[in-house]
Amino acid sequence: MEMLVVTGASLLAGFVDSIVGGGGLILVPALFAVFPGAPPATLLGTNKSASIWGTAAAAAQFSQRVQMRWGALWPAALLGFVGSMLGAWGVTVFPGDFLRRALPIVLLGVLLYTLARKDLGRNHVPRFGGRAETLAACAIGLSIGFYDGFFGPGAGSFLVFLFVRWMGYDFLNASASAKIINTLTNAAALLLLALKGHVWWHYGLVMAVANVAGSLLGTRVALKHGAGFVRVVFIVVVSALILKTAYDAFLK
């Protein structure tokens, strides 16, 4: 029964995460509910061992149908990996309580801005080119990579928003680009947690298969319905993140 529940949660998480990020909203609470006595680091490591494969599968699917700007994305993804490593180290040195309370406020700002700008992310008009685009993407990769390693919630959604708002991408291209960076930031976190023995591989491998299946389905839905659909899912996921992070920060 435990395997059935977490596998189903992983399938749904892969579907949501492949479109706009936020799969952790589904899978992480499911793991904590099913295994309430397990060490948090182990549950987070097991989550990463499944979700990284779904994110990578979504990135591969998007790359076949969306014109990826690889010259900017590969350096950004590598810096995302480095940033995630630094963030994971930083969390052992600095307390993250201030981020816990600031996060729902920042997410609310992102949501209100997206709702106010009806045309935001509907048209794909990259704002930068050449070296400027690479530098901008690297800044996004390094900063969100650090955040993902240090704290984590909403990292995929922040990547999408920054690619839309700063880089001028539409929501579909932003989501595709975010998957490349997010795969590397997840790899960094998984590497650290695995080296410390915080992964249940017997659960993680089964959950990974389900996560990939959900991810492939979600990617096809996103590609079929385009940027407008991804924008709607983004708004829903960010709204859920606001509720979840506000509850964790102020009520829990």
Side-chain angles (χ1 to χ4, degrees):
M1 181 59 69
E2 292 170 342
M3 182 68 81
L4 185 63
V5 172
V6 296
T7 300
S10 186
L11 178 72
L12 181 58
F15 179 83
V16 173
D17 199 68
S18 67
I19 300 173
V20 76
L25 275 174
I26 298 165
L27 188 50
V28 172
L31 285 166
F32 274 83
V34 173
F35 305 106
T42 300
L43 298 182
L44 293 174
T46 303
N47 166 62
K48 291 292 186 185
S49 73
S51 62
I52 186 174
W53 299 109
T55 305
Q61 284 284 104
F62 274 124
S63 67
Q64 295 173 13
R65 300 280 298 277
V66 175
Q67 188 174 0
M68 309 290 279
R69 302 172 77 87
W70 293 111
L73 285 177
W74 278 123
L78 291 174
L79 281 177
F81 183 92
V82 173
S84 186
M85 283 284 195
L86 291 173
W89 169 80
V91 79
T92 66
V93 180
F94 305 103
D97 292 343
F98 70 97
L99 270 179
R100 186 183 301 275
R101 293 185 176 275
L103 182 58
I105 299 170
V106 174
L107 284 167
L108 181 61
V110 168
L111 176 63
L112 293 176
Y113 185 88
T114 304
L115 291 172
R117 294 287 301 274
K118 303 294 185 183
D119 60 336
L120 184 70
R122 294 190 181 277
N123 299 307
H124 186 58
V125 187
R127 186 170 289 118
F128 306 108
R131 182 176 296 178
E133 183 175 34
T134 301
L135 290 173
C138 285
I140 292 173
L142 183 62
S143 57
I144 301 302
F146 181 87
Y147 169 78
D148 198 16
F150 187 81
F151 194 56
S157 298
F158 281 131
L159 283 170
V160 171
F161 179 77
L162 287 173
F163 271 105
V164 169
R165 176 62 186 89
W166 192 22
M167 304 285 285
Y169 291 13
D170 66 14
F171 270 99
L172 183 62
N173 281 271
S175 182
S177 301
K179 294 294 169 288
I180 303 297
I181 297 175
N182 215 188
T183 299
L184 270 290
T185 63
N186 283 341
L190 177 59
L191 178 61
L192 284 173
L193 291 166
L195 289 174
K196 292 181 175 293
H198 287 300
V199 177
W200 285 341
W201 293 109
H202 57 297
Y203 282 106
L205 292 175
V206 176
M207 289 161 55
V209 174
N211 198 263
V212 168
S215 181
L216 294 177
L217 179 60
T219 305
R220 290 183 181 182
V221 171
L223 288 167
K224 179 179 179 180
H225 294 285
F229 172 77
V230 178
R231 173 189 166 93
V232 172
V233 177
F234 176 83
I235 290 170
V236 172
V237 169
V238 171
S239 298
L241 274 167
I242 291 169
L243 294 175
K244 176 67 168 60
T245 55
Y247 173 78
D248 289 343
F250 302 108
L251 299 176
K252 194 170 182 179

